[in-house]
Amino acid sequence: MHPICLIRSSVSKRLEKPSTMTALITSTVFKPVLMASLIGLNVVGMQAQAATNNESSPTASLQLISLDADEISAENGADNLSDIADMLDAADASDDAIDSVADESALTDEADDINTDIPAEVGQVSLNAISPETLKTFVAVIDLVRREYVDTVNDEELFNNAMSGMLTKLDSHAEFLDAEAYENLRAFTEGDVGDIGIKVVYRPKAGYWVVTEVLDDSPADKKGIAVGDYLHQVDEFKLDDDRQTNDVEQLLTGIAGTQVDIVTSKAGRRKHTTTLQRNNNHPQVIETRLVDGMAVMKLPAFQNNSREKLLQGLISLEAPISGILLDMRDNPGGVLTSAVSVASLFMADTDVVQVKGRKDDSRVLSTQGAAILKPLPVVVLQNRYSASAAEVLASSLQAQKRATIVGEVSYGKGSVQSVIPVNDEQAVKLTVANYVTAAGNKIDGIGVEPDVALLGNENTWEQQALDLLRAKALASGIRFVRNSAVEDNTLEDQTDEDQTDEKQIDEK
């Protein structure tokens, strides 16, 4: 079962280009359909459905308000936004017909599938609550930018920026996804992580992190980031000489399609904040090494195939394993069900996390299947950038005393985002729930406290973690092989037995 059931939303008609100023005001309710569940991300499936029958459509009683090109002649200067702003004066008079009749079919038609989380007073706010003055101001600002900004600005970009700004102001984790970011986000669940396409190094003489490489046509390149620029900050993390190169790279890398804010400057010039989407994709690699019979596994993010990749990594070692060091430093999270699947490798019949939506009730996600790695001792290594699904796994292993958590306090991100399509190419990522540990402890803004705090240079942490694991390691390790290899060995053993039996028969 999925942790969140969300009402699927759709737009019955794609908006025309901004120059036609088509405004579509409608509301639809569909059965909840969830394709994949993510911490950081809940991808919601969507199929466009048109209201073609007034009797069966739950939106039949709703009306559309539009300013179409067909209704405004070219002679009236429809493309001049300042003129359109003046036209909005006509909308000041109230239209009692718009919300005078409640959409009763939305409350009676398949009531079990309706999202009752939305309070009635919110669903029935009159359209007149939106001030015409606010609409006129918005249009006037767009017109001002079009006429006065130093560079020519694409109308579509302006509107996308407006939607993005609305969401990011609402919630730092919410964002508007354009076609490229939306596709990359969907690709992430199957194995891709992303970055913005730059390399940086610390220059002691300058005292700054400096961009040394910008990939052609990368998100950074498209936004004008150039070699030689100073990089001062990534999201809320300020960069100084205490950071390691790998540390900064991990800050820039994350779930493909998500956005990151970077603060840069040209030498001697004012700092500038740029919002970029991690659209430079590359496959996730789970690094697996054998150190003194212990498996060191670096898990950079949680994706649909993370459980299988972890097992494949253990098989590839082709040696007995006496313990596992799971390195989740810089892990930003990812697919929630993946974190639960990974937890299922280590624990059986165990509650992993509680997910709380808009209602007071919560949903508990538990491990499933056989705990293949249950006999092996585990140490989890985390840092301040380990977030979301990484914190879910660490907290559940810690609560069950199944693993020792070492490092520093994790990031503290305890919210769940859903990716809700608005059409075939664009989507909105919106916070829809919070999660807490299975015991009910809050993670958001707090993080997971390690059992053993590690200090000093982070480059030494792996060795410190291995020293702790070594004290718990099995005397004789466990070797993992593929099913096909087991079957082959079984057949060989059976053949040997058959040959022995034949020989014994002959002797008799």
Side-chain angles (χ1 to χ4, degrees):
M1 297 293 292
H2 294 290
I4 302 290
C5 276
L6 301 171
I7 291 302
R8 180 171 56 177
S9 61
S10 72
V11 177
S12 61
K13 175 182 174 184
R14 184 172 297 182
L15 299 182
E16 300 294 332
K17 293 182 179 179
S19 59
T20 65
M21 287 300 294
T22 301
L24 176 62
I25 301 178
T26 187
S27 172
T28 54
V29 181
F30 295 101
K31 295 181 180 179
V33 176
L34 199 62
M35 291 172 54
S37 304
L38 301 87
I39 271 221
L41 310 169
N42 279 325
V43 180
V44 181
M46 180 191 103
Q47 294 176 338
Q49 300 188 20
T52 57
N53 188 312
N54 287 343
E55 295 181 359
S56 60
S57 170
T59 61
S61 65
L62 299 182
Q63 300 184 20
L64 303 182
I65 300 177
S66 64
L67 288 175
D68 285 336
D70 295 340
E71 299 172 6
I72 305 173
S73 64
E75 290 79 11
N76 290 336
D79 192 48
N80 188 325
L81 290 177
S82 59
D83 291 344
I84 294 177
D86 294 335
M87 290 179 181
L88 287 175
D89 286 330
D92 288 348
S94 61
D95 184 349
D96 296 333
I98 294 175
D99 282 321
S100 58
V101 180
D103 187 10
E104 296 178 2
S105 62
L107 301 177
T108 58
D109 246 351
E110 300 178 349
D112 291 341
D113 294 329
I114 301 302
N115 183 3
T116 56
D117 292 355
I118 303 175
E121 63 271 18
V122 174
Q124 297 177 5
V125 167
S126 170
L127 294 178
N128 291 325
I130 303 175
S131 168
E133 292 299 321
T134 299
L135 295 176
K136 287 191 291 184
T137 301
F138 175 76
V139 173
V141 170
I142 293 288
D143 185 45
L144 180 65
V145 173
R146 292 176 69 182
R147 290 185 288 106
E148 303 294 341
Y149 188 65
V150 62
D151 297 320
T152 302
V153 182
N154 181 278
D155 283 354
E156 185 174 355
E157 183 179 357
L158 282 178
F159 277 81
N160 286 349
N161 288 344
M163 289 183 286
S164 180
M166 173 185 66
L167 292 166
T168 53
K169 286 289 186 180
L170 176 70
D171 182 338
S172 61
H173 302 300
E175 57 187 286
F176 175 74
L177 303 174
D178 61 19
E180 185 178 10
Y182 183 28
E183 180 58 35
N184 286 332
L185 200 55
R186 287 185 284 194
F188 163 77
T189 65
E190 302 304 324
D192 285 348
V193 293
D195 57 47
I196 60 173
I198 65 173
K199 298 290 185 182
V200 296
V201 298
Y202 184 74
R203 302 290 192 198
K205 287 186 177 181
Y208 293 105
W209 287 87
V210 179
V211 177
T212 58
E213 181 181 350
V214 180
L215 297 181
D216 291 341
D217 206 34
S218 65
D221 183 38
K222 292 177 181 177
K223 286 294 184 78
I225 307 300
V227 171
D229 287 357
Y230 293 166
L231 179 62
H232 303 278
Q233 187 171 326
V234 179
D235 283 333
E236 69 268 37
F237 301 105
K238 295 182 178 180
L239 306 184
D240 52 32
D241 57 354
D242 289 334
R243 304 280 182 184
Q244 302 295 319
T245 301
N246 183 65
D247 196 25
V248 178
E249 288 179 357
Q250 289 298 329
L251 287 176
L252 296 171
T253 302
I255 297 170
T258 57
Q259 69 182 28
V260 60
D261 292 331
I262 63 172
V263 178
T264 60
S265 71
K266 308 294 182 183
R269 297 187 181 181
R270 183 175 299 178
K271 294 179 181 179
H272 176 68
T273 300
T274 305
T275 299
L276 299 166
Q277 288 173 319
R278 295 181 175 100
N279 290 340
N280 184 50
N281 285 18
H282 42 86
Q284 173 185 254
V285 177
I286 297 181
E287 300 175 7
T288 306
R289 297 179 286 114
L290 192 65
V291 180
D292 298 334
M294 300 173 288
V296 179
M297 313 191 76
K298 173 68 175 176
L299 182 59
F302 287 90
Q303 298 168 304
N304 289 342
N305 56 6
S306 293
R307 177 184 181 277
E308 289 70 24
K309 283 193 171 184
L310 283 171
L311 291 175
Q312 289 170 7
L314 293 173
I315 293 170
S316 68
L317 293 177
E318 298 183 345
I321 298 165
S322 59
I324 295 177
L325 172 57
L326 188 60
D327 189 347
M328 293 198 297
R329 287 178 292 178
D330 308 311
N331 185 317
V335 183
L336 174 58
T337 52
S338 174
V340 177
S341 294
V342 172
S344 299
L345 290 173
F346 300 98
M347 303 179 294
D349 301 321
T350 304
D351 293 340
V352 177
V353 64
Q354 295 183 50
V355 181
K356 296 185 176 181
R358 194 164 185 163
K359 290 183 177 180
D360 292 334
D361 58 338
S362 62
R363 184 167 190 149
V364 178
L365 302 182
S366 305
T367 59
Q368 297 181 351
I372 300 172
L373 306 181
K374 188 174 182 179
L376 292 171
V378 183
V379 169
V380 172
L381 183 56
Q382 66 177 27
N383 64 3
R384 72 192 72 178
Y385 309 121
S386 305
S388 291
E391 294 173 295
V392 167
L393 178 59
S395 64
S396 62
L397 293 173
Q398 184 182 55
Q400 299 300 319
K401 301 187 185 304
R402 180 61 188 88
T404 302
I405 312 301
V406 303
E408 59 187 352
V409 179
S410 61
Y411 184 86
K413 180 182 180 295
S415 59
V416 182
Q417 282 69 47
S418 286
V419 176
I420 308 172
V422 294
N423 54 45
D424 292 339
E425 296 183 345
Q426 297 169 318
V428 168
K429 181 157 72 75
L430 198 64
T431 299
V432 296
N434 293 311
Y435 69 88
V436 296
T437 67
N441 298 324
K442 186 179 178 182
I443 291 178
D444 197 51
I446 298 175
V448 177
E449 190 83 28
D451 298 310
V452 179
L454 300 182
L455 304 175
N457 193 313
E458 195 170 328
N459 290 334
T460 68
W461 287 10
E462 180 182 302
Q463 187 57 53
Q464 295 181 61
L466 284 171
D467 291 340
L468 291 169
L469 180 59
R470 188 175 287 107
K472 305 171 181 289
L474 300 178
S476 58
I478 300 173
R479 181 168 178 171
F480 296 88
V481 296
R482 289 181 173 81
N483 286 335
S484 58
V486 174
E487 293 171 358
D488 292 343
N489 289 336
T490 301
L491 289 173
E492 289 177 3
D493 293 342
Q494 185 62 47
T495 301
D496 291 341
E497 291 176 3
D498 292 343
Q499 291 174 348
T500 301
D501 290 342
E502 290 175 2
K503 184 177 181 180
Q504 290 174 343
I505 292 171
D506 290 341
E507 287 178 347
K508 289 179 180 177

